[in-house]
Amino acid sequence: MTSHRTQPTVQEPEIVAGNGLLHRRALLRRGLTLAGAMGAGGAGSLTGAAAEPLADPPWTHEIGGIIPPYQVASRFEKNVVRSTDNPRNEPRNSRARTPHHLLKGIITPNGLHFTICHGGVPDIDPAQHKLVIHGLVKRPLVFTLDALERYPMVSRIGFVECGGNSAPLFSNEPLQESVQAIHGLASCSEWTGVPLAALLEEAGVDLKAKWMIAEGADSPRLSRSVPLSKGLDDAMVALYQNGERIQPGQGYPMRLWLPGFEGNMNVKYLRRIKIANEPQLSYYEARTYSQILPNGQAYRFYFLQEVKSFISSPSHGQALKEPGVHEITGVAYSGTGRIAKVMVSADGGQSWGLAALQDPVLPKAFTRFRMPWRWNGGPAVLQSRAWDEGGNVQPLREAFVAQRGQTSKPPSVLAFPSQHFNSITSWAVGANGEVKHVYA
Amino acid sequence: MFTHDRAARAAMLLLSLTCGAALAQAPTPAPGLSPGLGKPISLEDLAPWDISIMPDGTGLPPGGGTPAQGAAIFTEKCALCHGDKGQGGIAGALVGGPPRASLDGGKTIANFWPYATVLFDFTRRAMPFNAPGSLSNTEVYALSAFILAGNKLIGENETMDAASLPKVKMPNRDNFIVRFPERI
């Protein structure tokens, strides 16, 4: 602990970076410090007009409603929903995006977890679902859900992120879209299930093999090749999501979960794993999840979701009502381990201050960061940048675009010009308090 | 090198099975704890699900078809979404398109797909979109021939079968970079 030689009181939080970023210590202490910060801001209404006299609202004088067997959110939270891009189930892919700007933790509520289906959401009867493991194994085996329920399970918190999350940022111009539209294809849950290594061992997996081809029971029988080393490391046949059976959109009744790996590889509705010497080069790896580079070549097998962060609030479409102290918050995550630090800027990257990382900070999971900020009512550009424990750092936009390219004209926000975008996001706050998406 | 690699993998398996990978938040149960409830299944019985087709043609079934045979099936089962000649409709183009793909779009079978086997594999498992898995192997060969010929990747009279399909040279085949070779 450091001693405060020159500061007998903590009324005035230390400024750590330009345009009003305050020391994260202001958040880590108990209320008084922040209260001091608010008072010190001077311009807020907190020091303004007095509150009205208190009166009882009607619900205080009547019996409340029936407790439902399965609780859903308050009717006043109707706008806290996913944005869906194929509401009439037309013959194409369908997606639902997580409303990050309305969430404040690290766990995504199950109904708000992002979903992508390449042929609608299958309606699977768990009693009829089977998982077969075959190929380069001593004993090909079939497992039912009932059988898997008997196995010792593990639980682990971690994210799933579509390889195409953040793809609107490949646009050559900012698309003026919300954090939900831009980053909504990433979510984080506690997953519970059977370690895949245990099932591979039971089947007598050939350790000389290099690959496993995973396949779903959905209509495209979506299939991806995964390095066997991942299957023997931390892969899981996940049956539960935040304590309850996984959602139909997440692969009910079972999915392959590969912590930190590209979302599409986490095969949902998992029904088959074939151990092989070579990858299959399925449609989704040979074509869809191969990323075109500026020189015309393309990346293949971009397994990892690399270190990334974004500010979820304030973010595009929101508005700051008045100057004074605000909390800048968002999530950071890395497919290779824990988040080591997050820096935040309020002046478009000219100066940076260290954000507070909210416990728990888990490997390959969302980490919530917070940064106290005193907005003076002038223009500001908010950014976040993350580092992981392996020393990987979120690239700045210029360097990222030089390597990975961008479009020549703005695409549809629903398009995927490329994938695996992990550079920084910038939100500009105008003098009117409105927040807009910009590049800076 | 080979034996070293093998030993490393064996050690890794052992580690993940006994101590629990350090990264996991809960230990992986020891093998002795496994209830061993996997039911053995014969290769014959699992064959209906073993549909993976590899780039070298492994997995391709008997049968074959020509572009002309494929044209008729295409009109009946695919044109609705992909256009009467495969030029694209409510679903993407299967024939033609720009010479090169870029971040502005334009990935096509001719300019991007690395192996013709992918066409058979994907069509058989996922198409037609509204009735996936309904095509016979012969139909899939014929449709593959029709689409490849439309893209001038094979001749108008060539038959596609287990021997010829993997030999089709796709122009973009060698244009890929494995992003994380050290993780394979």
Side-chain angles (χ1 to χ4, degrees):
Chain A
M1 292 306 284
T2 52
S3 61
H4 304 279
R5 285 156 297 151
T6 52
Q7 261 189 303
T9 69
V10 290
Q11 287 301 303
E12 190 62 33
E14 192 186 327
I15 301 269
V16 290
N19 222 354
L21 288 182
L22 304 175
H23 198 290
R24 68 190 189 290
R25 199 187 293 127
L27 289 178
L28 299 175
R29 291 191 174 161
R30 298 275 163 84
L32 271 183
T33 305
L34 199 55
M38 287 173 172
S45 70
L46 289 165
T47 54
E52 285 169 20
L54 299 177
D56 279 348
W59 48 84
T60 305
H61 296 288
E62 60 196 31
I63 295 180
I66 298 166
I67 296 178
Y70 196 99
Q71 180 99 50
V72 297
S74 158
R75 65 190 173 93
F76 296 101
E77 298 296 314
K78 283 275 185 286
N79 66 333
V80 186
V81 289
R82 302 185 297 178
S83 52
T84 61
D85 67 4
N86 191 0
R88 289 193 299 277
N89 206 16
E90 285 156 8
R92 53 188 165 90
N93 298 334
S94 357
R95 306 177 193 86
R97 290 171 164 84
T98 297
H100 292 295
H101 55 301
L102 302 171
L103 303 177
K104 284 279 161 70
I106 60 167
I107 298 291
T108 312
N110 283 347
L112 298 176
H113 195 289
F114 89 89
T115 290
I116 303 180
C117 284
H118 292 268
V121 185
D123 180 24
I124 295 177
D125 173 359
Q128 293 178 48
H129 185 83
K130 290 179 181 136
L131 168 63
V132 60
I133 298 180
H134 72 118
L136 300 174
V137 298
K138 288 203 192 74
R139 300 168 286 278
L141 294 176
V142 175
F143 298 88
T144 61
L145 185 60
D146 275 355
L148 291 181
E149 279 290 342
R150 286 260 319 271
Y151 281 70
M153 294 194 196
V154 295
S155 293
R156 176 173 176 175
I157 293 171
F159 71 84
V160 178
E161 180 179 39
C162 171
N165 191 37
S166 321
L169 298 179
F170 280 105
S171 170
N172 63 328
E173 287 169 24
L175 286 182
Q176 297 304 329
E177 294 283 349
S178 69
V179 69
Q180 181 171 20
I182 294 173
H183 298 299
L185 297 176
S187 305
C188 184
S189 299
E190 182 209 51
W191 302 96
T192 299
V194 182
L196 180 60
L199 304 180
L200 295 178
E201 165 75 348
E202 186 177 330
V205 62
D206 179 351
L207 294 175
K208 293 194 301 297
K210 288 241 174 240
W211 292 89
M212 51 184 221
I213 301 166
E215 185 175 285
D218 49 352
S219 70
R221 280 169 283 179
L222 193 145
S223 136
R224 290 298 304 263
S225 310
V226 181
L228 180 58
S229 58
K230 182 68 173 177
L232 297 173
D233 178 14
D234 55 1
M236 176 195 287
V237 177
L239 310 179
Y240 293 85
Q241 173 183 1
N242 296 326
E244 62 181 3
R245 279 280 173 83
I246 60 180
Q247 295 268 317
Q250 267 63 68
Y252 182 88
M254 59 183 75
R255 87 174 307 165
L256 181 61
W257 183 46
L258 307 170
F261 270 33
E262 181 181 78
N264 185 261
M265 298 176 72
N266 294 251
V267 172
K268 301 187 289 186
Y269 323 107
L270 182 69
R271 79 164 188 181
R272 187 166 76 99
I273 290 176
K274 181 176 189 172
I275 309 300
N277 281 325
E278 301 290 335
Q280 189 197 324
L281 272 306
S282 74
Y283 175 72
Y284 292 100
E285 54 213 21
R287 185 253 184 221
T288 305
Y289 289 93
S290 284
Q291 297 80 26
I292 295 181
L293 298 167
N295 70 2
Q297 291 188 292
Y299 278 142
R300 166 184 295 166
F301 295 132
Y302 206 131
F303 305 130
L304 285 176
Q305 296 302 121
E306 293 169 290
V307 60
K308 185 190 289 192
S309 70
F310 54 84
I311 293 168
S312 54
S313 73
S315 62
H316 178 91
Q318 297 182 321
L320 303 181
K321 287 201 180 67
E322 60 208 4
V325 168
H326 295 266
E327 182 176 273
I328 298 169
T329 184
V331 291
Y333 48 101
S334 164
T336 54
R338 285 182 181 78
I339 289 299
K341 67 171 177 181
V342 175
M343 305 287 284
V344 169
S345 175
D347 54 16
Q350 290 171 53
S351 63
W352 297 85
L354 203 56
L357 299 185
Q358 173 69 62
D359 281 342
V361 178
L362 301 170
K364 307 179 190 182
F366 279 6
T367 293
R368 171 117 341 233
F369 66 86
R370 305 175 194 282
M371 186 83 197
W373 173 47
R374 185 187 299 126
W375 180 47
N376 62 13
V381 174
L382 309 180
Q383 299 178 325
S384 68
R385 192 177 190 202
W387 281 252
D388 70 19
E389 60 185 348
N392 305 299
V393 53
Q394 203 178 351
L396 298 175
R397 183 169 177 90
E398 205 179 325
F400 182 87
V401 166
Q403 198 201 339
R404 298 290 313 283
Q406 61 181 352
T407 62
S408 66
K409 51 186 184 306
S412 153
V413 66
L414 298 177
F416 294 91
S418 189
Q419 292 140 344
H420 292 273
F421 185 101
N422 74 323
S423 180
I424 56 170
T425 307
S426 306
W427 307 121
V429 182
N432 57 2
E434 277 175 26
V435 186
K436 291 229 176 306
H437 179 215
V438 293
Y439 288 159
Chain B
M1 209 41 228
F2 178 70
T3 36
H4 171 82
D5 195 46
R6 184 179 179 172
R9 275 162 186 282
M12 192 161 58
L13 178 65
L14 205 70
L15 186 76
S16 61
L17 285 175
T18 53
C19 331
L23 282 174
Q25 289 154 20
T28 302
L33 277 180
S34 168
L37 295 174
K39 283 211 179 101
I41 181 166
S42 69
L43 296 183
E44 209 177 3
D45 287 345
L46 68 77
W49 281 15
D50 187 9
I51 55 173
S52 311
I53 289 160
M54 311 298 272
D56 68 1
T58 303
L60 279 171
T66 64
Q69 289 163 343
I73 308 163
F74 194 89
T75 305
E76 188 194 337
K77 299 188 173 175
C78 320
L80 175 69
C81 296
H82 290 289
D84 56 352
K85 297 186 173 57
Q87 75 277 20
I90 59 169
L94 304 179
V95 172
R100 282 170 71 100
S102 72
L103 273 78
D104 292 318
K107 275 185 191 174
T108 67
I109 292 171
N111 75 23
F112 197 76
W113 290 36
Y115 305 103
T117 48
V118 179
L119 188 54
F120 185 101
D121 179 86
F122 182 68
T123 302
R124 183 168 73 162
R125 67 174 70 225
M127 290 296 138
F129 195 85
N130 48 347
S134 62
L135 300 170
S136 71
N137 291 333
T138 306
E139 285 179 308
V140 180
Y141 276 122
L143 286 164
S144 304
F146 171 75
I147 292 167
L148 291 169
N151 283 301
K152 306 215 169 355
L153 296 166
I154 63 168
E156 278 301 332
N157 297 313
E158 273 185 69
T159 299
M160 285 295 105
D161 56 26
S164 58
L165 187 68
K167 293 206 190 84
V168 176
K169 173 84 173 76
M170 301 295 274
N172 202 45
R173 187 181 67 195
D174 301 324
N175 220 2
F176 292 85
I177 305 163
V178 172
R179 179 66 182 85
F180 290 109
E182 71 278 13
R183 288 189 174 253
I184 295 174

